[in-house]
Amino acid sequence: MTPLPPQIEIDHVYNIDCVDGMRLMQAQGIVADWCIADPPYGIGVGSQTYAKGVAIAGNGLAKRRDYSGTDWDSQRLDKSVIDLMRDTSKQQIIFGGNYYTDVLPPTKSWVVWNKRNPDEHNSFADCELAWCSTDVARVIHYYYNGMLQGDMRNKDYRFHATQKPTQLYAKVLTLYTKEGDLILDPCAGSQSLRIACHRLKRHYIGFEINKEYYDKGCDWYTHATAQLSIFDFM
């Protein structure tokens, strides 16, 4: 991690603990319109079969990425961290919220990400759930199965074990937020949410504690936002 910055600036991502980052936000009186978080689920991604020797493609090159031994997902975030996310934002969408039902208030609004997996015997999950603080529940359809993605012409560069696609985040942003909103991303990971915010003209603050993911995410963001392409997120 880098040393703490003197202050948090909008439209930046920081290689610091999200707790430190959100406390700096509080000290500056910064409140995000939305916190869209993808925290550790506490299910031990590094021990999962699919995480060992995952094939990924980036910039036209086929690579192998072994996530075994990854330990950042070995435990959930403490309730105090979830509370801090809610204190530093007006509304929240928390992926993996079904793993945090004991520390989140009851809600009738869930975002269901349907991955449209065609094979009933597939080892990947058919969907994921995100807890939402609003009263509007949504189902978002976006095919995501290993190397296969719903938009094969604009595939994401994948290097994170639990990476969410930019197209998924773009749909979430379109459904729940508006242009100019400030989005807090406390577990930035691959920074795919940052890329989606840039494309849809949302402001962004992100924190990522892992230096390797932070560096790769910054490189991908620079590359992705330099491209002039037409993206159909819907």
Side-chain angles (χ1 to χ4, degrees):
M1 289 186 296
T2 57
L4 294 182
Q7 64 179 20
I8 297 300
E9 297 183 15
I10 294 174
D11 295 324
H12 281 70
V13 63
Y14 296 90
N15 178 214
I16 61 176
D17 191 309
C18 67
V19 172
D20 293 328
M22 289 186 287
R23 285 175 177 164
L24 283 172
M25 288 176 60
Q26 286 183 316
Q28 293 175 229
I30 299 174
V31 178
D33 295 293
W34 284 85
C35 173
I36 301 178
D38 186 20
Y41 297 173
I43 59 176
V45 165
S47 64
Q48 304 295 317
T49 301
Y50 78 88
K52 300 176 181 179
V54 175
I56 55 176
N59 301 324
L61 301 176
K63 301 179 181 180
R64 302 290 294 185
R65 179 68 177 172
D66 188 355
Y67 299 111
S68 58
T70 300
D71 61 359
W72 56 265
D73 193 53
S74 61
Q75 58 184 349
R76 303 182 311 162
L77 297 181
D78 187 78
K79 180 181 183 298
S80 62
V81 184
I82 300 297
D83 289 343
L84 198 52
M85 291 179 189
R86 299 180 64 210
D87 289 341
T88 50
S89 58
K90 300 173 185 176
Q91 301 282 1
Q92 304 82 34
I93 293 175
I94 301 177
F95 280 88
N98 47 310
Y99 294 99
Y100 287 91
T101 53
D102 58 330
V103 297
L104 286 167
T107 182
K108 62 181 180 181
S109 177
W110 289 85
V111 179
V112 180
W113 170 27
N114 176 15
K115 299 180 181 180
R116 290 178 166 172
N117 290 332
D119 183 359
E120 63 182 2
H121 301 296
N122 186 9
S123 60
F124 295 94
D126 289 342
C127 66
E128 291 192 27
L129 300 176
W131 180 94
C132 185
S133 60
T134 72
D135 292 332
V136 181
R138 302 284 189 185
V139 177
I140 296 175
H141 304 277
Y142 186 73
Y143 181 47
Y144 206 61
N145 186 347
M147 287 297 298
L148 301 178
Q149 301 179 27
D151 184 359
M152 295 297 287
R153 292 177 303 172
N154 298 299
K155 290 180 63 176
D156 284 351
Y157 170 48
R158 296 188 61 190
F159 56 90
H160 193 290
T162 61
Q163 185 168 329
K164 300 294 186 294
T166 54
Q167 292 85 350
L168 168 67
Y169 279 135
K171 290 173 183 282
V172 169
L173 291 172
T174 300
L175 288 169
Y176 287 95
T177 74
K178 64 182 184 299
E179 186 173 322
D181 276 356
L182 174 58
I183 311 301
L184 168 63
D185 184 6
C187 306
S190 67
Q191 299 185 37
S192 53
L193 175 56
R194 184 187 182 196
I195 293 171
C197 285
H198 175 86
R199 291 172 177 165
L200 292 178
K201 296 181 174 58
R202 272 63 166 172
H203 294 294
Y204 175 93
I205 294 175
F207 306 112
E208 174 51 49
I209 193 172
N210 183 288
K211 184 64 163 61
E212 180 181 359
Y213 286 149
Y214 171 80
D215 288 340
K216 286 182 179 291
C218 288
D219 288 344
W220 181 34
Y221 174 82
T222 299
H223 175 79
T225 56
Q227 305 305 303
L228 297 178
S229 302
I230 298 175
F231 292 88
D232 179 12
F233 290 116
M234 302 307 294

